[in-house]
């Protein structure tokens, strides 16, 4: 049994707990939290809850620690710190800061003899793999990534910060005509506005100025100004009834040409349709935790990404069985 | 520059020649043929044509030999033989005989110190990878593979062997309702007939009994009897004009559940739409040839499949660039 620890018990931490239940070769040993451990109720019988600052004391009890903090402020510090005591996996998703994060985790992992797999999930993660495989195969081509239809938590939070907004949910929606043009191999040049639209469901406080709120959303730089955005004001009950899930998904599409004179066209598409973004993300984290454990058992250490992991290491099945049944 | 050799100059061999042209870190050095080398005209300037039985003499001139023979009789002998002199990649696709083929290549590869990557292409190959990744992530789920719309060369050949048939082209076509039911997460149990139909375009000899030919096709065991098959008799000109390509494609779909009580549903789909089956297959072969070369440079030997290869090894790009731009 691979002994799993979780650091952080929000949506991702709870998702890892469920994912471990779906993987019979794994066992949840402990959840580490920055809250008062006595206040935290987890679902796994026999697993313990500890304070986040006691990580080091449990270094011999856990094979892989799965880091469930945020990319903005938690993971840049937590991952290089935790890899000093454990093999770790994180879902660091600030694309621009990946090289720096990788270097920090690599340095500490090599010093301590542990493996740290960073940026695991679906984007970065499975979508990155789709981009890498399709680029390696279709050497002359063009990549497109579409996200959604799904809830963007960052954009929902941005709306909630507007004065007079009680709650909000924002959906990122790919433009169907853009997706179809890409699938048809038309290689369109697409602006931000032409790729995705944004749908907002907003619960306003009583007496709030709806026109002002709508205008503040639609003109918000970086988040909404570059998109066609629609705003729907709904009741709190409606938000709860119809928009409480965290669905997401999307597609990575690469089209490219082959042949002596580029005479043939090909399309590779990888797509996801997810009822629960955090639960799916954590299923991916847990599969890569297995790989982290196995790499470390082989004596390896340092930082890795999904690009470095032989796919066979992700599966609980025996390699010979995989060759016989899945190849 | 990785020095590539080709054994066999049919559709696949010609495809490898085109694919090498699309990969600037590779160079085609030689084509080996069982035909008279003097009779073979290849397209790459500076590459040589040699007799297939002179492989051993060129062992120091080639980094990876790509085997372009058939799976029925060629590859079971050629791959274990060639791996004695070279790193090799093949597209062995007889799923039931993979374990035996793997063992043979592994034994000879380890003895000679070479890498042999078997069963590379899109199915087996990229479709196998889609199955493995999606099984590792969605641990509780169900797999579906649909092929087509595309030309099946084995089925086309089977029709050509019927008395009175001059030429033929067979398309394998997924049943749209079945694909939609799977994508919708309905987890249908599908019979062979419910998954694919078969469309045949047949050029009959003058005066041939068309009703008999149609009946012989539709009742042919293994090939057609279990499918809804349609037969269209067309002229030789029409076959040439509209059915001379080798398009193919298909989808691997896995649906599965996550959550503490399996409350959430997810769909992972990987799909291909290919103008030219052999050219796409060979683009995959060439990417894995790069990995074979690199593994061998690291001192590794023996048999591998696509499951064993870290994705980063497939790309001509630097790992740090891949992390910065594709992750």
């Amino acid at each position: 049994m691979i002994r799993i620890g979780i650091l952080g018990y929000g949506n991702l931490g709870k998702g890892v707990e469920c994912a471990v239940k779906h993987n019979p070769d794994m066992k949840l040993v402990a959840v580490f939290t920055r809250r008062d451990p006595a206040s935290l109720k987890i679902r796994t019988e026999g697993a313990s809850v500890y304070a986040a600052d006691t990580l080091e004391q449990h270094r011999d009890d856990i094979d892989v620690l799965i880091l469930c903090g945020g990319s903005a402020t938690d993971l840049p510090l937590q991952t290089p710190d935790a890899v000093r005591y454990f093999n770790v996996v994180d879902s660091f998703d600030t694309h621009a800061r990946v090289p720096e994060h990788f270097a920090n985790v690599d340095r500490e992992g090599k010093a301590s003899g542990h493996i740290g797999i960073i940026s695991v999930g679906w984007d970065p993660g499975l979508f990155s793999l789709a981009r890498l495989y399709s680029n390696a195969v279709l050497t002359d081509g063009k990549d497109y990534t579409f996200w959604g239809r799904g809830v963007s938590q960052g954009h929902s939070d941005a709306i909630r910060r507007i004065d007079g907004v009680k709650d909000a949910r924002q959906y990122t929606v790919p433009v169907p005509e853009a997706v179809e043009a890409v699938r048809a191999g038309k290689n369109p040049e697409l602006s931000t506005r032409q790729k995705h639209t944004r749908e907002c469901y907003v619960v306003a406080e009583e007496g709030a100025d709806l026109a002002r709120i709508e205008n503040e959303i639609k003109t918000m730089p970086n988040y909404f100004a570059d998109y066609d955005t629609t705003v729907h004001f709904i009741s709190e009950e409606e938000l709860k009834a119809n928009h409480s899930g965290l669905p997401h998904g999307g597609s990575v599409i690469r089209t490219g040409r082959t042949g002596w004179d580029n005479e043939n066209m090909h399309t590779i598409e990888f797509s996801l349709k997810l009822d629960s973004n955090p639960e799916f993300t954590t299923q991916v984290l847990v599969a890569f935790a297995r790989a982290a454990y196995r790499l470390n058992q082989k004596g390896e250490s340092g930082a890795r990404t999904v690009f470095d992991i032989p796919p066979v290491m992700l599966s609980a099945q025996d390699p010979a069985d995989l060759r016989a049944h899945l190849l």
Side-chain angles (χ1 to χ4, degrees), chain A:
Chain A
M1 294 290 263
I2 303 172
R3 299 168 302 167
I4 300 290
I6 294 172
L7 174 56
Y9 198 65
N11 281 333
L12 278 186
K14 290 171 187 166
V16 170
E17 186 175 25
C18 294
V20 168
K21 194 184 170 196
H22 284 268
N23 283 271
D25 60 336
M26 297 185 178
K27 180 182 156 177
L28 180 66
V29 170
V31 173
F32 296 88
T33 179
R34 285 179 296 200
R35 290 177 262 176
D36 170 14
S39 74
L40 204 69
K41 182 112 189 75
I42 66 170
R43 303 208 255 192
T44 306
E45 268 181 58
S48 308
V49 180
Y50 299 120
D53 58 12
T54 68
L55 279 181
E56 189 175 355
Q57 299 167 33
H58 302 279
R59 57 193 304 165
D60 296 328
D61 309 329
I62 288 166
D63 295 312
V64 187
L65 183 72
I66 302 183
L67 301 174
C68 297
S71 295
T73 56
D74 298 333
L75 298 176
L77 300 174
Q78 283 177 349
T79 315
D81 179 56
V83 79
R84 295 158 63 201
Y85 316 121
F86 307 101
N87 301 304
V88 299
V89 178
D90 79 18
S91 60
F92 185 75
D93 67 359
T94 311
H95 290 261
R97 296 185 61 190
V98 162
E100 172 194 347
H101 189 56
F102 184 89
N104 291 338
V105 175
D106 195 49
R107 186 187 60 243
E108 299 299 330
K110 282 187 174 138
S112 72
H114 292 112
I115 287 282
I117 312 184
I118 67 159
S119 301
V120 175
W122 59 275
D123 196 3
L126 299 187
F127 272 20
S128 319
L129 285 166
R131 286 187 284 263
L132 175 50
Y133 280 112
S134 59
N135 272 267
V137 168
L138 283 182
T139 38
D140 293 290
K142 199 162 156 54
D143 288 317
Y144 296 87
T145 302
F146 292 98
W147 294 275
R149 187 177 190 256
V151 172
S152 161
Q153 298 188 257
H155 286 77
S156 302
D157 289 343
I159 299 173
R160 281 188 206 105
R161 286 191 293 264
I162 293 174
D163 197 46
V165 170
K166 214 167 161 182
D167 204 351
R169 199 53 64 109
Q170 192 271 180
Y171 294 89
T172 304
V173 186
V175 174
E177 295 74 21
V179 181
E180 284 318 308
V182 169
R183 280 191 186 131
K186 292 181 185 164
N187 273 357
E189 290 295 333
L190 297 167
S191 67
T192 299
R193 190 178 300 274
Q194 287 170 319
K195 286 182 72 184
H196 298 92
T197 54
R198 299 200 176 275
E199 281 176 20
C200 313
Y201 294 84
V202 181
V203 181
E205 281 166 9
E206 234 184 272
D209 179 347
L210 304 188
R212 177 191 48 83
I213 292 174
E214 179 164 345
N215 185 57
E216 279 193 39
I217 295 172
K218 289 186 171 177
T219 58
M220 196 186 296
N222 301 321
Y223 285 87
F224 295 99
D226 297 335
Y227 298 85
D228 288 337
T229 302
T230 52
V231 177
H232 308 274
F233 289 98
I234 61 174
S235 68
E236 202 159 5
E237 295 68 43
E238 204 181 331
L239 191 83
K240 198 167 269 177
N242 301 333
H243 303 284
S244 63
L246 291 170
H248 221 311
S251 299
V252 171
I253 305 174
R254 184 169 173 87
T255 54
R257 299 203 151 265
T258 66
W260 196 254
D261 297 308
N262 288 346
E263 56 270 39
N264 287 308
M265 234 282 299
H266 309 273
T267 306
I268 304 178
E269 177 165 354
F270 178 74
S271 58
L272 296 172
K273 199 163 154 277
L274 313 175
D275 271 1
S276 164
N277 182 354
E279 280 184 14
F280 186 82
T281 299
T282 50
Q283 293 278 139
V284 183
L285 283 166
V286 161
F288 280 89
R290 181 180 290 116
Y293 172 74
R294 290 175 172 175
L295 284 169
N296 191 241
Q297 292 286 103
K298 287 177 63 181
E300 298 194 24
S301 65
R304 301 286 188 279
T305 74
V306 296
F307 294 161
D308 303 305
I309 310 302
V312 68
M313 288 209 169
L314 304 174
S315 173
Q317 283 184 64
D318 179 71
D321 284 346
L322 292 171
R323 284 195 295 274
H325 301 297
L326 286 190
L327 194 68

